[in-house]
Amino acid sequence: MATIANGTKNARALGAFNTKADLYCIEISRPDVGPTDVAIDVSYCGMCHSDCHACNGDWGLDFWPIAPGHEISGVVSAVGTDVKRFKVGDKVGVGCMVESCRSCDLCKEGLEQHCPNMIQTYGSQFPAGRGENFKGAEGHHTNGGYSTAITVNEHFVFPIPEGMDMKYAGVLLCAGITTFSPLNRHILQKGGGKGKTVAIVGFGGLGQMAVKLAQAMEVDSVTILSRSDKKR
């Protein structure tokens, strides 16, 4: 999410200062809401292995300090004047991206994750031209959900259904969508699960999510492929 480079410190975060990837408490500055933005008090943020890759140098990021985290759930604390989908007090989630150009063919098709100018929740340089409230964030790297507060355009914010425990919601915006997408493409969009068998390679965090989703899609059977039977 956008971070004001030299603004008033209004949020606390856990950030890495080098590729040792040790996390320390830091203070950062989040933008005020613009007309189409949503401010969120973060309640939970899942831990993705991407957070490790980003902080330990595996991905070649060179933004320090950096606060990772892109499996976020929280409560809306403020909304812009033109926001229609959310109100203060709503339970919401934010996933792996917080901006895109929204004008290319990919964005128009709802495939913002493939946009050449997609901005990740952490570790991307925030672009220019996103509103006066983001001026101080232009060219500065985004910082993620290991923080107390975020400000995001409503286009990249998702409602959390009533009755869903917020501590489980954030992971659906990374591991959940990663495994749902192919299952949706090959099962739900092709007549449903009846008569189909699903094979899942690996039974880690994503593998367990895939098993649950496949079962919910009522496939006939699920086969897990692993290097050993230790997890049987």
Side-chain angles (χ1 to χ4, degrees):
M1 272 72 61
T3 304
I4 305 298
N6 297 303
T8 301
K9 308 302 184 184
N10 56 12
R12 288 174 288 117
L14 290 175
F17 283 76
N18 52 50
T19 55
K20 285 186 176 181
D22 295 328
L23 298 179
Y24 297 92
C25 290
I26 59 175
E27 291 184 324
I28 58 177
S29 176
R30 295 299 197 191
D32 295 331
V33 293
T36 59
D37 301 322
V38 176
I40 302 165
D41 288 334
V42 177
S43 301
Y44 298 94
C45 185
M47 297 178 68
C48 178
H49 202 77
S50 298
D51 303 341
C52 299
H53 289 305
C55 292
N56 68 13
D58 287 346
W59 288 351
L61 298 183
D62 193 23
F63 305 121
W64 312 106
I66 185 170
H70 57 205
E71 299 179 351
I72 303 161
S73 62
V75 178
V76 175
S77 60
V79 297
T81 54
D82 296 336
V83 171
K84 305 298 183 185
R85 298 169 51 224
F86 303 102
K87 64 182 185 302
V88 173
D90 283 351
K91 296 178 180 180
V92 296
V94 175
C96 302
M97 54 186 170
V98 292
E99 259 300 354
S100 68
C101 76
R102 282 182 274 166
S103 60
C104 68
D105 289 342
L106 290 166
C107 286
K108 290 178 180 178
E109 291 179 24
L111 299 172
E112 293 93 338
Q113 70 272 25
H114 298 307
C115 173
N117 296 307
M118 183 267 289
I119 302 300
Q120 297 184 76
T121 304
Y122 62 86
S124 291
Q125 286 187 309
F126 199 80
R130 293 302 191 269
E132 287 298 317
N133 58 316
F134 290 116
K135 280 286 187 183
E138 294 176 359
H140 190 58
H141 68 273
T142 53
N143 285 286
Y146 288 18
S147 58
T148 56
I150 58 177
T151 303
V152 189
N153 187 284
E154 70 168 329
H155 186 73
F156 296 93
V157 179
F158 300 91
I160 294 176
E162 287 296 327
M164 176 177 285
D165 193 324
M166 289 180 67
K167 67 173 174 281
Y168 301 126
V171 70
L172 297 177
L173 297 168
C174 179
I177 190 60
T178 298
T179 50
F180 175 82
S181 180
L183 291 169
N184 175 50
R185 187 180 306 117
H186 295 289
I187 297 176
L188 295 184
Q189 293 184 17
K190 295 184 178 180
K194 298 299 183 182
K196 294 185 176 70
T197 296
V198 171
I200 296 167
V201 180
F203 196 52
L206 271 70
Q208 293 179 52
M209 183 71 70
V211 169
K212 294 179 180 180
L213 289 170
Q215 290 178 327
M217 294 176 184
E218 300 183 334
V219 299
D220 286 1
S221 64
V222 178
T223 298
I224 299 166
L225 308 177
S226 186
R227 290 176 293 180
S228 73
D229 60 1
K230 291 181 180 179
K231 296 179 181 179
R232 183 181 295 275

